[in-house]
Amino acid sequence: MTVTAKNSKGTELFVGTASGVDADSYLDGVAQEQISDVSFPNSASHRFTPGDAKPEADIADRDWWISTDTGKTVAKTFDLDAEPQVLVIAPANSDDSLDGTTVSLQMRVKGVFALSLLGIAGTIILAGFSVFFFMRWWASRIRPPKKDVGPPSGSGPDRSGSDSGRGGRGPADDPTVKGEPGPATQPISTVQPDTAGQAPPRRRDLRNRRSFRAATASVLGIGLVLSGCASMPIAKPSSPDTTPYERTAVRPGEAGKFMTNYTESLDKTLGDKGSDLDKIQAAPLIDHTRAQIQIADKAKQKLRAPNFTEVIAGSPNFTEYPMWFYAFGTADKKSTDGDEQLTQVMLVTRESASTDPLVRSASYIPTDRMPTLMADDSGAVEKGPEDFSEDLTTASGDVSSFLVDGKAKSGGPKGLKDGGFKGFRDYLGDLRDKDSGFDKVDVDCKSYEDLKFEDMTLSTENGAIGMGEVRCTLTIKAPSDYALDLGDTVEAVKTNDKEGDTIKVDTAHPYVLMKTGDELTAIATDWNVLSSKVE
């Protein structure tokens, strides 16, 4: 079927096809005319939904369109048996309107003429057979003869049957013998010449035959009615808003496309000192990146986004907004420090079809420890079990406790004495060293609570995977006769110019929690300084 839209006023039009979950979210609250059903050749069901004059975001910039086209005349052709989609027609410029736009639908069907001829021929044949059998049935009916009344006794010749015990004729057989007339009740018409030695003819039972012929005529008649009323085998379009909408968890190629677009946007943002960073990141990750930009500027270093050689993604829910998914990108060895190849784990959320995906958390794990995601036929990955969500909450407390005192609790996740966790503890040790000159260094840590990490986990082949973050505050006090010097990193993120002997430093500790069988492991490759202030 082909849907064509033309505008008589020269307005540039936009046509796009999308999954229903995206189109419904994008057009929520927007004035629109919905065509919900089409009956060929010239009937359509439609209704007007009032709302805002235009969507929140530019229609052509959305990344979820399956196909798009623009022009004063736009058209879209699709198979009637394709997956359900919603087709959207709108002005290409959001400030324009659809005044003067007409929409037409055409359906191309092969073999209609030939099928019509076959239908007509079949109808004629069936009609002929019906008439033939009906006439034959009518003509072959046998009506019983009327009963005739014989002449009075002795008024005419009479004949009786032969003697069964003798082969010749006796006096009783001679019609000239008087006084023994034949039976008066026997119709004369039943005795025919030369048939004395044959069985008498009998009236045939026509009831079954009549029923059979009547049934045959009835069946053929009914067949004729059905052949005239039945629809031709022509495909008809289903309703454009068929539900439920089908959307795979990050359609084929979209994971790589997302990571590529994100990397390019991040590189541009880092080069522009953080401009438009809020279009691709949100808290808590955006706090890390802004601090890194300040630190790199202070140290006159250049930041760059990692390059990925392989990308996979998974989510349990891509059928409604808001939605979230995990993206796993194997980083090029040149993009990260050290000899070990790393895979970046990113948690991405999307509030609606009018907004862009936002990366909320990012951390690295060794590539050889990347778990296997188990996806169903639609590409969706099952959410992590409830007990793993509880493990994630408990692990957050264990991480906080270790960062404060350096003691890993019995039964807690493994990996706390490695990587970024160990790096932070070593940093604290340097600050508390006698040669540092500081009187006191205290630390307080707690879980990041503005994002519900425990609600966003994925099942893996042998367990589950999720993310978390802990925020710490360092309180560093120096002697009053000492000048306070904490290096370029802390100086770069200072939020005030106040003079004093105490400084507070806020840090972030993102990590990945993995469960394999019954074993929990927390992995952190680094930690971040976020801000500092003098008191």
Side-chain angles (χ1 to χ4, degrees):
M1 188 172 73
T2 298
V3 180
T4 304
K6 297 181 181 180
N7 187 274
S8 60
K9 297 183 178 181
T11 301
E12 189 85 357
L13 299 177
F14 170 92
V15 62
T17 57
S19 172
V21 64
D22 298 313
D24 286 353
S25 175
Y26 180 71
L27 297 176
D28 185 29
V30 179
Q32 56 192 282
E33 188 82 16
Q34 295 181 354
I35 302 175
S36 58
D37 192 27
V38 177
S39 299
F40 279 89
N42 55 5
S43 177
S45 299
H46 58 93
R47 64 185 179 92
F48 176 74
T49 302
D52 298 333
K54 60 182 180 180
E56 296 180 7
D58 185 41
I59 194 168
D61 290 343
R62 300 298 86 204
D63 61 338
W64 36 258
W65 290 113
I66 298 173
S67 66
T68 60
D69 192 16
T70 57
K72 296 178 182 178
T73 299
V74 291
K76 172 62 180 176
T77 299
F78 54 91
D79 293 332
L80 297 177
D81 58 353
E83 295 292 340
Q85 296 178 14
V86 173
L87 187 143
V88 179
I89 298 171
N93 185 349
S94 60
D95 294 328
D96 293 333
S97 70
L98 288 177
D99 291 342
T101 301
T102 57
V103 179
S104 62
L105 289 81
Q106 293 179 319
M107 186 170 65
R108 180 184 178 185
V109 183
K110 297 180 180 180
V112 174
F113 182 70
L115 288 174
S116 300
L117 291 180
L118 289 175
I120 294 172
T123 301
I124 294 174
I125 293 172
L126 288 174
F129 273 111
S130 299
V131 172
F132 171 75
F133 280 107
F134 178 78
M135 295 302 295
R136 186 173 180 180
W137 165 73
W138 182 268
S140 63
R141 292 186 311 165
I142 299 178
R143 300 179 181 179
K146 294 181 180 180
K147 291 183 179 182
D148 297 329
V149 180
S153 177
S155 61
D158 213 347
R159 175 176 291 178
S160 65
S162 62
D163 187 358
S164 60
R166 293 180 297 176
R169 293 174 61 185
D173 299 326
D174 190 349
T176 63
V177 179
K178 297 180 180 181
E180 295 183 10
T185 58
Q186 182 179 6
I188 193 170
S189 60
T190 62
V191 180
Q192 301 295 333
D194 303 324
T195 61
Q198 300 179 10
R202 293 177 298 174
R203 175 180 169 183
R204 288 174 292 177
D205 187 357
L206 300 178
R207 289 175 297 176
N208 293 337
R209 190 168 182 181
R210 287 175 183 173
S211 299
F212 173 77
R213 289 177 177 173
T216 303
S218 299
V219 169
L220 291 173
I222 294 172
L224 174 63
V225 173
L226 292 179
S227 67
C229 294
S231 299
M232 297 293 289
I234 299 174
K236 295 183 178 181
S238 60
S239 177
D241 61 348
T242 300
T243 55
Y245 302 117
E246 296 184 6
R247 173 176 179 162
T248 58
V250 185
R251 288 182 285 265
E254 288 190 355
K257 181 180 179 182
F258 165 77
M259 296 289 266
T260 300
N261 292 342
Y262 172 73
T263 299
E264 292 176 352
S265 299
L266 182 58
D267 263 334
K268 182 179 178 181
T269 295
L270 294 176
D272 293 339
K273 296 184 178 182
S275 62
D276 296 329
L277 183 61
D278 56 352
K279 292 183 178 180
I280 58 174
Q281 290 185 359
L285 178 60
I286 194 171
D287 300 333
H288 311 175
T289 306
R290 284 172 173 164
Q292 289 171 356
I293 291 174
Q294 291 175 286
I295 295 170
D297 185 59
K298 179 74 174 179
K300 300 192 181 302
Q301 296 176 344
K302 184 178 181 180
L303 296 175
R304 68 180 187 276
N307 294 320
F308 301 106
T309 59
E310 183 180 1
V311 174
I312 60 173
S315 169
N317 172 32
F318 267 84
T319 58
E320 60 183 359
Y321 287 98
M323 61 179 64
W324 57 268
F325 65 92
Y326 275 88
F328 302 86
T330 302
D332 189 313
K333 289 185 177 181
K334 298 179 181 179
S335 300
T336 56
D337 296 331
D339 297 331
E340 187 178 30
Q341 190 168 28
L342 302 175
T343 293
Q344 188 174 47
V345 183
M346 293 192 292
L347 175 59
V348 188
T349 63
R350 190 168 196 171
E351 294 301 315
S352 72
S354 297
T355 61
D356 294 320
L358 298 175
V359 182
R360 306 296 299 274
S361 183
S363 188
Y364 286 95
I365 60 174
T367 298
D368 58 7
R369 302 191 66 176
M370 171 66 195
T372 301
L373 301 180
M374 305 299 292
D376 60 19
D377 293 339
S378 65
V381 179
E382 187 177 351
K383 190 176 179 181
E386 291 185 7
D387 58 349
F388 180 71
S389 297
E390 296 174 0
D391 291 337
L392 197 61
T393 302
T394 303
S396 181
D398 294 337
V399 171
S400 299
S401 177
F402 176 80
L403 293 176
V404 171
D405 57 24
K407 298 178 181 179
K409 292 183 179 180
S410 176
K414 295 184 177 181
L416 296 182
K417 296 182 179 181
D418 302 318
F421 304 125
K422 179 179 183 300
F424 179 73
R425 291 298 307 172
D426 291 344
Y427 181 76
L428 278 178
D430 291 340
L431 291 178
R432 289 169 173 170
D433 188 89
K434 293 181 180 180
D435 295 335
S436 67
F438 297 117
D439 283 345
K440 189 177 182 180
V441 178
D442 292 329
V443 58
D444 179 58
C445 298
K446 63 180 181 179
S447 303
Y448 184 83
E449 298 178 347
D450 291 343
L451 184 64
K452 299 296 183 181
F453 287 103
E454 62 272 15
D455 293 337
M456 293 175 282
T457 63
L458 291 180
S459 292
T460 62
E461 184 177 20
N462 299 312
I465 187 170
M467 300 189 75
E469 182 166 320
V470 169
R471 294 284 177 95
C472 296
T473 298
L474 299 173
T475 302
I476 305 169
K477 187 172 182 180
S480 57
D481 56 344
Y482 274 62
L484 199 59
D485 182 10
L486 293 173
D488 290 342
T489 298
V490 176
E491 289 290 336
V493 295
K494 265 187 17 177
T495 59
N496 65 355
D497 293 328
K498 183 179 179 180
E499 294 184 0
D501 59 0
T502 302
I503 187 169
K504 289 190 174 183
V505 180
D506 295 323
T507 61
H509 307 266
Y511 60 90
V512 176
L513 186 69
M514 299 171 59
K515 187 172 186 177
T516 305
D518 295 329
E519 183 179 276
L520 283 175
T521 304
I523 303 175
T525 56
D526 206 351
W527 59 281
N528 302 278
V529 175
L530 299 181
S531 64
S532 64
K533 62 180 180 180
V534 177
E535 295 181 347

